[in-house]
Amino acid sequence: MSVAKTYKLFIGGKFPRSESGRVYPVTDSKGAFLANAAHASRKDARDAVVAARKAFPGWSGATAYNRGQVLYRVAEMLEGRREQFIAEVAASEGLTDRKAQSVVDTAIDRWVWYAGWTDKIAAVLGSANPVAGPYFSFTVPEPTGVVAILAPQRSSLLGLVSVLAPVLATGSTAVLVSSAQRPLPAITLSEVLATSDVPGGVVNILTGRAAELGSWLASHGDVNALDPTGADIEARTDLARDAAGTVKRVLEVPAEEPDWTQRPDIARLRRYLESKTVWHPLGV
């Protein structure tokens, strides 16, 4: 007899149960039971934000080279659990093994692509500004802070990586709500993160429903940006209204989930950066 697994949340580098004690069944594309997932509550979301805020100074203060090395290590761990990801993506999304292999390999490549940008962002998006006066003027990009992500509902791994990796590459920290019906790849990713070099709290993964958790994250005063990709179209206006109360950045995302297999660009990196201009007097 197989043992039915009941997975937990990933908050602050640890795996707590939901404070509500709730779980919900996860099924495959044909309705067969796979596991139980924790049903995160408002309190769990608050705890995740606290952990992300606590981790932000250390992660954003690390050198870009160091962040890149940490993210490369995550890619290595992803590849080490490739077969498990293939099985979970195939079951969750109803794909053939061959198609699932392609999705997983693309997700690993995507993670590596964003990891490679960590030490190039400043050179591409920063500048030395010409000024009329005895000053040096520099514009440098800085991470925006804590980012709440409502992950794609259909693309359980590739879409997840495509929205999470750019947040981490810029030096921000994340609170991510996984796909409600397809959370297993996100749960396995949390296990990868826990056994890699990513500091606790840099990524926090909640399983549950974006419709329940989105509004609390959008209105939370310690969240600096919101990615509403996984929210229903009807709910996005309300999320933007909730976010306006704390002058929060809300990403503009397509009405329908995009084709995540398309070649990425730096647009998502740019969205999680703030530009700081520094003036320094010339020496006499």
Side-chain angles (χ1 to χ4, degrees), residues 25 30 33 41 46 57 64 71-72 91-92 103 123 130 148 159 189 195 201 222 255-256 266 270 276:
K30 297 180 180 179
F33 176 82
S41 68
R46 290 204 307 266
L71 295 182
Y72 275 120
S92 299
V103 169
L189 177 61
T195 53
D222 232 8
E256 298 293 333
I266 65 170
R270 192 189 300 271
K276 181 177 76 174

Side-chain angles (χ1 to χ4, degrees), residues 6 15 27 30 34 39 75 94 135 139 143 147 168 184 188 198 217 220 232 246-247 256 263:
T6 298
F15 293 92
T27 60
K30 297 180 180 179
L34 294 175
H39 193 149
Y135 302 98
T139 297
V147 179
L168 306 183
L184 295 191
T188 301
V198 178
L217 292 171
H220 198 297
D232 294 337
T246 51
V247 197
E256 298 293 333
R263 184 184 299 272

Side-chain angles (χ1 to χ4, degrees), residues 52-120:
R53 177 56 62 189
K54 184 177 180 180
F56 176 69
W59 184 243
S60 61
T63 65
Y65 176 81
N66 179 252
R67 282 200 303 271
Q69 291 300 300
V70 170
L71 295 182
Y72 275 120
R73 177 59 180 160
V74 174
E76 293 174 350
M77 299 290 286
L78 284 169
E79 194 160 49
R81 300 183 71 164
R82 178 173 176 271
E83 297 304 318
Q84 181 179 357
F85 278 114
I86 290 171
E88 290 176 347
V89 169
S92 299
E93 301 182 24
L95 303 178
T96 63
D97 287 346
R98 185 173 181 178
K99 179 63 176 176
Q101 289 174 15
S102 176
V103 169
V104 172
D105 289 342
T106 303
I108 296 170
D109 290 346
R110 183 70 45 84
W111 194 281
V112 171
W113 191 85
Y114 278 113
W117 270 100
T118 56
D119 58 357
K120 301 172 184 65

Side-chain angles (χ1 to χ4, degrees), residues 15 18 51 81 128 136 155 163-164 181-182 203 205 228 267 275 278:
F15 293 92
S18 171
R81 300 183 71 164
F136 289 120
S155 183
V163 298
L164 176 60
Q181 299 303 319
R182 302 171 179 179
V203 183
I205 296 179
S275 294
V278 179

Side-chain angles (χ1 to χ4, degrees), residues 135-256:
Y135 302 98
F136 289 120
S137 178
F138 303 100
T139 297
V140 294
E142 292 192 339
T144 194
V146 176
V147 179
I149 305 169
L150 306 181
Q153 295 298 311
R154 293 198 295 271
S155 183
S156 59
L157 180 64
L158 179 54
L160 172 70
V161 166
S162 299
V163 298
L164 176 60
V167 173
L168 306 183
T170 60
S172 291
T173 56
V175 176
L176 182 142
V177 181
S178 72
S179 167
Q181 299 303 319
R182 302 171 179 179
L184 295 191
I187 294 169
T188 301
L189 177 61
S190 71
E191 295 173 353
V192 165
L193 295 168
T195 53
S196 65
D197 299 326
V198 178
V202 170
V203 183
N204 304 273
I205 296 179
L206 307 175
T207 50
R209 306 194 183 282
E212 179 179 346
L213 300 174
S215 62
W216 300 117
L217 292 171
S219 60
H220 198 297
D222 232 8
V223 173
N224 302 104
L226 174 69
D227 179 350
T229 297
D232 294 337
I233 284 293
E234 298 78 11
R236 291 182 186 177
T237 300
D238 292 334
L239 290 174
R241 186 180 299 112
D242 292 336
T246 51
V247 197
K248 193 180 277 79
R249 176 176 297 188
V250 180
L251 273 66
E252 294 184 9
V253 296
E256 298 293 333

